[in-house]
Amino acid sequence: MLILRCQIVRWSEPNEILYNAAVLVRDGKIVDFGPSKDLEERYPQEEKLDANGQWLMPGNICAHTHFYGAYARGMSVYGTPPADFPQILRKLWWGLDKALSEEDVYYSALVCLMDAIRHGTTTLIDHHASPNAIDGSLDQIAKAVEESGVRASLCYEVTDRDGVARRDAGIRENVRFLQRLQKGDNLDGRLSGMFGLHASLTLSDETLRKAREAVPEHIGFHVHVAEHSVDEYDSLQKSGMRVVDRLSHFGILGPRSIAVHAVHVDAQEIFQLSRTQTWVTHQPRSNMNNGVGTAQVESMMRAGIRVCLGNDGHSNTMWQEWKFAYFLHKHANLDPRRMGADQVVQMGVYNNRALVETLFSGKKVGAIEVGAEADLILVDYHPYTPVTEANLPWHIIFGMQESMITMTMVAGKVLMRDRKLITLDEQGISEAVLARVPATWERYRKLMEQKG
C-alpha cells in the first residue's frame, strides 16, 4: 500500500516532519518514504490510500495495562467507598479478578483492544489476573490479540494472596505461555511474553525464589513496585529491605524487567533501578485516581532510568496519558516549569518504543524509517498555528485528540479505516460483553458479601 499526500511525523532522533509526503508499506514493513510525487511516480502499480493532508505517524504504545479491568467501568464498589489504595485493592480489584470466568478474560481483552484500535494504540503490554480462571487465560487473551491484529506482550500476575495452589498455577501459566512463544507460536511476531508478579506486598520470599527459578535469566519480570507506601512498609517488615532492594536480591530486576509505578521509592532504590537497567512505567491517571502520590519521574530520568508511559487499565487513549503526565507534575510541584513536553515525548515515544524493541526481539516500532514495522495511524488534525519539529509535542498535548484518528494499521494490516473497525465486529462484541457483565458483577457482589 502507498499512503499518499500526508504530513509524516517520523519520530526520528532528532525528530523530522515531512510535508506532502508518502510511505510505501510491503510485507508489514515500511520499505520507502519521501515526497508524495516521487513515490507515486516510482510505484505506479501500488494500491493507494490518499491521506488528503492528514498526519501520518507511528501508532502509540502502552507500556503497562490490565485488560481484565475492563468490566470495572461503571461498577459499584461493594460497601463503603475505599479510603486508601489498600482498600481499593481489597474492595474492588481482588474481588473483580476472582469473578472473571475464562470467557470474561477473552471478552475483556477484546473490548480493550477495540478501544486501542479506535484510539491509535498499536502495542500494549498487559498484566493479567483471574484467580478462578488461571489455566489457559493467557491463550484467551492471545486469541483476542490474534483476532484484533494488534501487537501485545502478555503475562500472568503471580501472587500469594489466593493460596499456594493458585500461586503455583500462576507460575505454571507464565511458564507454559513463554514455552508456547519459544516454539514460534507468536502471531508472526505480534505476541511476546514476560513473567508477571503482583507486588512485593503479596509475594513471599519463597514465591520470589520460585518465580526466578521457573524461567531462564533472560526472561524479564513485570511487577508493581511501591505504588503505595504500604508496599514499602510490608517489605521492610518481611525482609528488612525496601521493595526495590528485595526484588533485586531475588534477581527480579534487570534490563528486560518492568517496575510499574515506583511512586514511593527512595534515592537508593532509584540508584538500584538505574544500576540494574530496569524499566519503570509511569501511569499518571491511575496514580491520581488512586490518590497514591506522584512518582519522582524527572529525578528517575536524570538518574538514567528509562521511564515509560502506561495506562494501568484506563482507556487506551495514550495521548490522554501524555496530557496528565504534563499537568500532574506541574500541579504536584507547584511549578509550571516541571515536566516539559520534551520529557513526556521521551517517555511516550522514545522510551516506550525502546521497551517494545527489547520485548519483541529487536523489532523496530514507533518510527517511520525503512525496515520499521508498519504500525501507523492517520490523524485528521487541522492546526491553526504552524506545526514544527520543535513545537509538535505541545500540539499533541494541547491540540490533538484521539477522536481525530481515522486509520490504524499494525504490521501493514489496516485495522481501522475512516474510523470504522475492520478486524473486529464492534457492535457485536459490545453487545456480547454488555450481556455478560451483569452476571460477573453479581459474582463479584457475592464474593464480597462472603468476605464481609
Side-chain angles (χ1 to χ4, degrees):
M1 176 182 288
L2 188 60
I3 306 174
L4 296 163
R5 295 205 303 144
C6 51
Q7 329 304 336
I8 296 178
V9 176
R10 292 190 59 206
W11 286 133
S12 50
E13 297 184 80
N15 189 28
E16 181 181 24
I17 298 176
L18 305 178
Y19 298 92
N20 194 15
V23 167
L24 177 64
V25 173
R26 282 183 185 160
D27 300 322
K29 297 186 184 298
I30 295 168
V31 297
D32 202 356
F33 64 91
S36 192
K37 183 175 182 294
D38 292 355
L39 264 69
E40 193 166 13
E41 291 175 355
R42 201 177 305 158
Y43 308 104
Q45 303 304 317
E46 292 289 339
E47 176 190 355
K48 296 177 178 60
L49 190 160
D50 189 347
N52 195 27
Q54 296 183 76
W55 296 79
L56 181 74
M57 59 183 70
N60 286 318
I61 295 166
C62 176
H64 171 75
T65 193
H66 297 288
F67 294 153
Y68 79 86
Y71 287 12
R73 184 174 294 182
M75 188 180 81
S76 297
V77 176
Y78 181 80
T80 56
D84 53 27
F85 182 63
Q87 286 193 15
I88 291 172
L89 291 175
R90 291 192 297 270
K91 286 175 169 282
L92 173 58
W93 298 114
W94 293 352
L96 177 60
D97 63 7
K98 289 186 180 67
L100 297 174
S101 67
E102 186 176 282
E103 293 77 15
D104 288 329
V105 171
Y106 166 68
Y107 277 106
S108 61
L110 271 182
V111 293
C112 287
L113 295 172
M114 288 196 312
D115 182 62
I117 294 168
R118 181 161 292 287
H119 297 116
T121 301
T122 52
T123 301
L124 303 101
I125 301 172
D126 186 56
H127 193 269
H128 177 64
S130 54
N132 288 322
I134 298 174
D135 296 345
S137 59
L138 296 182
D139 285 345
Q140 291 297 318
I141 301 173
K143 178 184 173 186
V145 171
E146 180 176 18
E147 293 170 5
S148 70
V150 302
R151 202 178 298 279
S153 176
L154 310 180
C155 67
Y156 187 85
E157 174 193 288
V158 172
T159 178
D160 288 323
R161 68 177 182 267
D162 300 309
V164 171
R166 286 175 178 164
R167 176 203 68 183
D168 290 346
I171 292 174
R172 288 195 303 271
E173 179 64 7
N174 278 304
V175 172
R176 182 199 63 77
F177 186 71
L178 289 166
Q179 289 173 344
R180 163 189 165 168
L181 298 174
Q182 189 176 21
K183 294 173 183 176
D185 187 5
N186 63 2
L187 308 184
D188 294 324
R190 287 193 293 107
L191 200 61
S192 76
M194 303 185 73
F195 194 109
L197 296 168
H198 174 244
S200 176
L201 82 163
T202 67
L203 296 165
S204 66
D205 286 359
E206 179 189 11
T207 299
L208 290 172
R209 190 176 299 109
K210 279 180 172 287
R212 181 64 279 177
E213 292 172 352
V215 289
E217 287 194 5
H218 71 270
I219 298 296
F221 291 85
H222 190 169
V223 56
H224 299 97
V225 171
E227 185 173 1
H228 185 275
S229 58
V230 68
D231 201 18
E232 293 287 12
Y233 288 113
D234 174 88
S235 182
L236 287 165
Q237 185 176 12
K238 281 176 181 173
S239 65
M241 293 181 282
R242 291 177 68 87
V243 170
V244 171
D245 302 323
R246 182 172 183 241
L247 294 176
S248 181
H249 175 75
F250 285 97
I252 302 301
L253 305 181
R256 296 183 65 87
S257 291
I258 298 173
V260 182
H261 298 300
V263 176
H264 292 275
V265 295
D266 67 8
Q268 174 60 27
E269 289 176 290
I270 289 175
F271 169 78
Q272 185 79 327
L273 289 167
S274 177
R275 185 189 67 79
T276 57
Q277 301 179 58
T278 302
W279 303 85
V280 168
T281 66
H282 182 40
Q283 291 71 220
R285 283 187 291 177
S286 172
N287 295 163
M288 294 172 72
N289 183 53
N290 291 328
V292 295
T294 306
Q296 301 174 62
V297 169
E298 294 155 301
S299 294
M300 292 183 200
M301 294 173 76
R302 276 177 49 79
I305 296 174
R306 298 166 296 181
V307 182
C308 303
L309 275 180
N311 65 23
D312 207 26
H314 285 247
S315 60
N316 291 299
T317 50
M318 288 308 296
W319 284 339
Q320 288 296 313
E321 215 68 51
W322 287 34
K323 298 170 202 282
F324 274 80
Y326 182 78
F327 295 126
L328 168 61
H329 293 267
K330 291 172 170 52
H331 176 75
N333 292 288
L334 303 179
D335 187 344
R337 296 167 294 186
R338 301 294 292 269
M339 188 55 72
D342 55 336
Q343 293 171 297
V344 176
V345 170
Q346 184 65 46
M347 291 187 288
V349 175
Y350 300 116
N351 291 353
N352 271 14
R353 84 174 177 207
L355 173 58
V356 172
E357 288 171 15
T358 298
L359 299 181
F360 285 82
S361 303
K363 284 186 178 293
K364 187 69 177 179
V365 299
I368 295 181
E369 61 184 57
V370 173
E373 299 294 312
D375 296 2
L376 305 169
I377 59 174
L378 278 174
V379 187
D380 191 19
Y381 178 57
H382 300 278
Y384 49 79
T385 58
V387 179
T388 66
E389 288 86 353
N391 69 19
L392 173 64
W394 286 268
H395 273 275
I396 293 177
I397 289 171
F398 290 100
M400 291 187 185
Q401 304 290 337
E402 284 85 359
S403 61
M404 298 173 183
I405 296 170
T406 64
M407 188 276 287
T408 301
M409 170 188 287
V410 175
K413 183 176 182 179
V414 177
L415 311 183
M416 180 179 74
R417 188 165 183 174
D418 296 328
R419 296 189 173 90
K420 180 176 176 57
L421 269 60
I422 295 173
T423 55
L424 297 177
D425 175 7
E426 189 169 17
Q427 182 177 346
I429 292 170
S430 297
E431 289 174 355
V433 173
L434 193 59
R436 297 192 62 83
V437 168
T440 307
W441 284 3
E442 180 62 16
R443 288 195 295 274
Y444 158 80
R445 187 187 63 80
K446 289 180 177 179
L447 285 165
M448 300 308 293
E449 280 184 348
Q450 290 170 9
K451 287 177 61 178

